[in-house]
Amino acid sequence: MFVPAYLAVHLFLDWISFIHAVSSINITPWNPPAGLMMGVSVLFGVRTVPLVWLALTAADLVVRDLPITLQPMTLWAPFLANGIVAAGYGIAGWLLRRAIDPGLSRLRDIVLLLGVSAVAVLGIGLCFIAIHTAAGLFEWTNFPEVLLRYWTGEVIGIAVLTPLVLIGRRMPALRGSWSGAAETLAQGALIGFTLWLDFGPLASSQYEHFYLLFLPAIGIAVRHGLVGAVIASVATQAGLIAAIQATGVDTARMAHFQLLMLTLAVTILLLGAVVSERRRAEDRLRVRQSDLAHASRLIEAGEMTAALAHELNQPLAATMGYARAARKVARLEGATPRLTEILDKTVTQAERADRVIRSLRDFVRKGASDRAPLPVATLIADCLTLAGPLASRHAVEIVAEVDPALPAIGGDAVQLQQAILNLVRNAAEAMGEGVDSGPSVQAYPARRRIVIFACPAAQPGFVAIGVRDTGPGLAEVVERNLFAPFVTTKPTGMGLGLSIVRTIVENHGGSLTASSGTDGGTVFQFTIPAHAAGKNGEPA
């Protein structure tokens, strides 16, 4: 499909641009097929040489009828010349492919594209013109003039069309709007008006107002960057050729117009590249400033966390003491089993809170945690127990799917429990607020189900642990900044849940990812090295 499409586009561009030609070969004021050839050569390298030769030869046969105009003994000239052109463009494209980003993301890429193309076209032109001069189409005394005409037309075609071919694949989709349509119409009208001033009834025979064409083109380049510059260049050059044809500019003046057209194309292109690169630098600066602001807030949050851990330690210890004393008194005075059970759970949760505070304080102070062997099944069973109140509050079913053959992992149980519970809490809240009391979890519908799963990871030496829900999926604003701190859609959220989970996971040597579930919802999964493996999953 690509080959016939390329041939059709090449022939069409050759046909519409075959004006003011030198002799019967393709030396014209503006040669857009050159831009197409260089573009595909940069994208695909030397593999395009046969296709380019075929397109050049087909254009000679269809557009110029070369076998009729040439003598039988000189029929070899166009075929040989086309082979040199195709090989030259293929080599130049291969070199550029290795030196630049095909998306032309930097000013350096534009400069290299224009510089390498200019040198390559000069070398190709020397051979191309020499072959046709030897075939008798030109006098050797006209060699410099013909070479200049050829070089200028080819470079204009490359400067105008090659960037469009290269960035066209990544060009953002056009979004219709009244303001955008009005702006486009105004810019097109301004280009048309300047062309009318240059070639209309008020124009002079010297065309000294040509510089007016720079104004709308520069304005578009400044407004829209490289993409706007490329489109403006194509529109301006097409308008120029149409105006030249309509007003009947004589061929003798075309060399003058060629140099003006080349200056205009290169100026617009370089200006657009500078504007785009400046904007990307500003965007990177804004991102860096935002990252620094986030880092500053995280440092403040860390200091606040350390202070809170210290301040909460004493009242928490007192709470545990009172709870244990109450449990002992209840047993001595023969309290009901229900009260004893509640006091046992109170002591258990207070002891867990103490472990969380101690672990958090140690992590903030030392940046490290206890890495003991930890059975995955035990870890997830504890998480199910701790998530029980959450399931009741949000009216969701929370179940576990654990591969029975998993090895023990190396990690801090408290921190990993916190990571899993953060993911479970996010999933439950994503499925909507539940009720304080309701039916048993067996009666919850399948659309309100959370699964804590564990299985072997794709990377050897790691275990994958995750949470899968049946909620509405990720909001677009959150998905773009998924693990960034302080990004949340909850009215009372701080946006630190996923950031904390990622910090815990990465501190354990793993990684956290998110994806859409096969039946809707979201899947958060992180990897943790097995206890027998090192931080990167390698044997310890």
Side-chain angles (χ1 to χ4, degrees), residues 331-353:
R331 289 174 179 173
L332 291 174
E333 296 183 356
T336 62
R338 178 64 175 166
L339 177 59
T340 302
E341 180 186 358
I342 292 174
L343 289 173
D344 287 340
K345 289 183 177 179
T346 302
V347 172
T348 300
Q349 293 300 321
E351 290 174 346
R352 178 180 178 271

Side-chain angles (χ1 to χ4, degrees), residues 65-385:
D65 297 328
L66 280 187
I68 298 176
T69 58
L70 292 179
Q71 297 297 324
M73 66 183 62
T74 59
L75 285 179
W76 58 270
F79 298 101
L80 176 60
N82 290 339
I84 291 175
V85 172
Y89 273 92
I91 294 172
W94 176 76
L95 292 174
L96 286 170
R97 181 182 175 86
R98 297 168 62 91
I100 69 172
D101 171 21
L104 304 178
S105 59
R106 299 164 297 179
L107 176 62
R108 170 182 176 275
D109 298 331
I110 298 292
V111 174
L112 282 176
L113 173 64
L114 295 176
V116 172
S117 298
V119 174
V121 168
L122 181 60
I124 294 169
L126 286 170
C127 299
F128 184 83
I129 304 303
I131 290 173
H132 286 94
T133 303
L137 289 181
F138 313 113
E139 297 292 335
W140 286 104
T141 54
N142 296 330
F143 187 94
E145 179 185 353
V146 176
L147 177 61
L148 177 62
R149 292 281 299 276
Y150 174 86
W151 181 86
T152 310
E154 297 281 303
V155 173
I156 292 174
I158 292 171
V160 173
L161 204 62
T162 299
L164 182 64
V165 173
L166 295 179
I167 70 174
R169 302 172 303 139
R170 305 180 183 180
M171 192 175 294
L174 297 178
R175 297 181 179 179
S177 66
W178 288 109
S179 59
E183 181 181 357
T184 301
L185 288 175
Q187 291 166 346
L190 188 56
I191 292 175
F193 178 69
T194 54
L195 286 171
W196 180 80
L197 289 178
D198 279 330
F199 297 94
L202 301 180
S204 68
S205 59
Q206 301 299 317
Y207 302 102
E208 65 268 15
H209 302 308
F210 188 92
Y211 63 88
L212 293 175
L213 280 172
F214 283 77
L215 298 179
I218 288 175
I220 296 172
V222 171
R223 177 76 172 83
H224 299 286
L226 181 60
V227 173
V230 170
I231 296 176
S233 181
V234 172
T236 304
Q237 299 290 348
L240 269 172
I241 293 296
I244 289 171
Q245 285 294 94
T247 55
V249 176
D250 58 283
T251 303
R253 294 190 59 85
M254 285 310 302
H256 171 71
F257 274 109
Q258 276 187 291
L259 293 177
L260 293 175
M261 291 164 63
L262 177 60
T263 305
L264 176 61
V266 172
T267 300
I268 298 173
L269 195 59
L270 292 176
L271 179 60
V274 170
V275 171
S276 291
E277 188 166 358
R278 174 70 177 271
R279 289 178 179 173
R280 282 191 293 270
E282 292 174 351
D283 291 340
R284 287 194 296 268
L285 180 60
R286 280 193 293 268
V287 171
R288 183 65 57 85
Q289 290 173 340
S290 177
D291 290 342
L292 290 175
H294 282 164
S296 176
R297 294 168 71 182
L298 285 175
I299 291 172
E300 294 175 0
E303 294 175 351
M304 181 177 65
T305 301
L308 285 173
H310 176 74
E311 294 298 328
L312 290 174
N313 188 56
Q314 295 302 323
L316 186 58
T319 301
M320 285 193 299
Y322 285 127
R324 289 168 181 164
R327 181 174 61 178
K328 184 179 294 186
V329 170
R331 289 174 179 173
L332 291 174
E333 296 183 356
T336 62
R338 178 64 175 166
L339 177 59
T340 302
E341 180 186 358
I342 292 174
L343 289 173
D344 287 340
K345 289 183 177 179
T346 302
V347 172
T348 300
Q349 293 300 321
E351 290 174 346
R352 178 180 178 271
D354 180 64
R355 291 195 301 271
V356 170
I357 292 296
R358 291 179 183 275
S359 175
L360 183 60
R361 185 179 59 190
D362 292 341
F363 179 73
V364 171
R365 185 177 65 248
K366 299 184 296 183
S369 56
D370 183 22
R371 301 295 175 83
L374 180 62
V376 179
T378 302
L379 172 67
I380 294 183
D382 292 341
C383 289
L384 282 177
T385 301

